[in-house]
Amino acid sequence: MAYNNFIPTVWAEGINRELEKKFVFAEDCNRKYEGDVKEFGDQVRILGVGSPTITDTEDKDITLGDPEKIEDTSATLIVDHISHFNYKVGDIDKAQAKGNILEALHAETSEKLADKMDAHIASLANDASAILDAASAYQATADIILEKVDTALQKLYENNVSPSADIIMTVTPRFYMLMKRAYASLDTNNSGIIKNGKVGMYGGITVKMSNNVATASAGAVDKIMVRTKRAIAFVNPMTHVEPYRPEKGFADAVKGFVLYKAKIIRPKEMIVMNVKYTA
């Protein structure tokens, strides 16, 4: 193998570490179920229950009716999403190249995989269980943008989300620019908060920016998630990297995959802003 420094296990771990740095959506998901899944097709049953009815009485002789059947709000997360890669570098290209090819490919692979996984999580804004702040997309302007964010936050509070909860809003660049125009105190690029897409704070909400925000109507509508870190479960139980030498030709090749899955498990802890823009 021409890549003398290539150790599959070490590189696989390196990819995972790099993914953590590049994640925007995944960074704010519930990941405590990752230890419960190991391979493709594994399932995690995430338990949840509704609330019982509380009945008042002033009669000391309490008469009970038939026991109430409590609504089951459990969800099943099936780990069945894979992103894979397979590429080669010719011997002549390696001989002529300057710099560390392995390091460059490692960084590029990590970035692309993280992008795929984040887009998968972001796509849940279009899931049937996602709660929209408005049935039809409304026009986003600097005049009303903060009012709409406040309304989404209010809906979370009305769903019993604690005001002290970590709430994250992931926006597109065009949404962010409207917010910045409306809210002069939103952090600038010189702020120390900038990390993994973070661009500022508003009303206790951490504002992040990503090009992976889900859209609708051929990109004319943004689906902006406003959520707690418990709203979406995400698992990434396996990363596999394997070097090989193709039989035909003169090249070193690397193939691998990541196994992952995301699911909305607390729908009341996420509101999706349904916004469109002036053409």
Side-chain angles (χ1 to χ4, degrees), residues 79-90:
V79 188
D80 60 1
H81 205 93
I82 296 175
S83 292
H84 57 84
F85 56 91
N86 182 21
Y87 54 81
K88 66 180 180 180
V89 178

Side-chain angles (χ1 to χ4, degrees), residues 33 43-48 72-78 263-267:
Y33 304 105
Q43 300 184 20
V44 180
R45 186 68 173 169
I46 301 171
L47 301 179
D72 182 358
T73 61
S74 301
T76 300
L77 189 155
I78 304 173
K263 186 178 181 67
I264 299 172
I265 59 170
R266 290 178 178 260

Side-chain angles (χ1 to χ4, degrees), residues 9-270:
T9 301
V10 172
W11 200 30
E13 290 175 355
I15 285 179
N16 279 328
R17 286 194 296 269
E18 286 297 316
L19 288 175
E20 295 298 326
K21 295 177 184 177
K22 298 177 187 300
F23 280 143
V24 177
F25 282 89
E27 184 183 42
D28 300 307
C29 291
N30 181 347
R31 302 185 66 173
K32 71 177 185 178
Y33 304 105
E34 281 187 319
D36 299 326
V37 292
K38 303 295 183 184
E39 58 188 34
F40 184 89
D42 279 356
Q43 300 184 20
V44 180
R45 186 68 173 169
I46 301 171
L47 301 179
V49 295
S51 299
T53 300
I54 306 300
T55 303
D56 296 327
T57 182
E58 295 181 356
D59 187 349
K60 66 178 181 178
D61 296 321
I62 301 173
T63 301
L64 298 178
D66 294 333
E68 177 185 15
K69 183 177 180 181
I70 303 299
E71 176 189 4
D72 182 358
T73 61
S74 301
T76 300
L77 189 155
I78 304 173
V79 188
D80 60 1
H81 205 93
I82 296 175
S83 292
H84 57 84
F85 56 91
N86 182 21
Y87 54 81
K88 66 180 180 180
V89 178
D91 292 345
I92 295 176
D93 291 334
K94 291 197 303 290
Q96 294 179 341
K98 294 182 179 180
N100 189 328
I101 294 179
L102 177 61
E103 184 178 333
L105 291 175
H106 163 87
E108 196 69 22
T109 303
S110 296
E111 184 173 338
K112 295 297 184 181
L113 289 174
D115 192 61
K116 282 284 188 181
M117 297 162 83
D118 253 18
H120 169 68
I121 299 169
S123 70
L124 293 177
N126 284 316
D127 191 82
S129 63
I131 301 173
L132 297 174
D133 67 340
S136 299
Y138 50 84
Q139 195 72 42
T141 65
D143 293 335
I144 68 165
I145 199 74
L146 297 183
E147 178 185 339
K148 293 297 186 180
V149 173
D150 288 342
T151 298
L153 188 59
Q154 178 182 330
K155 288 179 181 292
L156 288 178
Y157 292 156
E158 289 172 349
N159 286 342
N160 292 322
V161 170
S162 170
S164 63
D166 289 332
I167 298 176
I168 306 94
M169 176 171 61
T170 310
V171 305
T172 56
R174 55 187 177 182
F175 190 98
Y176 170 69
M177 295 311 296
L178 286 176
M179 281 195 73
K180 190 174 179 181
R181 209 174 303 156
Y183 184 51
S185 298
L186 202 64
D187 283 355
T188 66
N189 288 336
N190 295 320
S191 171
I193 195 174
I194 303 218
K195 180 183 177 184
N196 283 26
K198 294 178 184 176
V199 290
M201 298 288 297
Y202 170 75
I205 301 172
T206 299
V207 182
K208 293 189 172 186
M209 185 165 56
S210 171
N211 287 323
N212 283 328
V213 171
T215 61
S217 300
V221 174
D222 283 346
K223 297 296 186 71
I224 306 295
M225 289 181 174
V226 185
R227 61 190 171 104
T228 71
K229 293 186 176 183
R230 303 191 306 178
I232 296 175
F234 176 70
V235 293
N236 170 213
M238 184 183 300
T239 298
H240 177 78
V241 180
E242 182 179 329
Y244 69 103
R245 185 83 177 171
E247 183 176 347
K248 296 181 179 180
F250 299 93
D252 288 323
V254 182
K255 59 185 176 181
F257 65 86
V258 287
L259 172 65
Y260 57 98
K261 186 71 173 185
K263 186 178 181 67
I264 299 172
I265 59 170
R266 290 178 178 260
K268 290 185 177 181
E269 295 191 22
M270 183 171 80

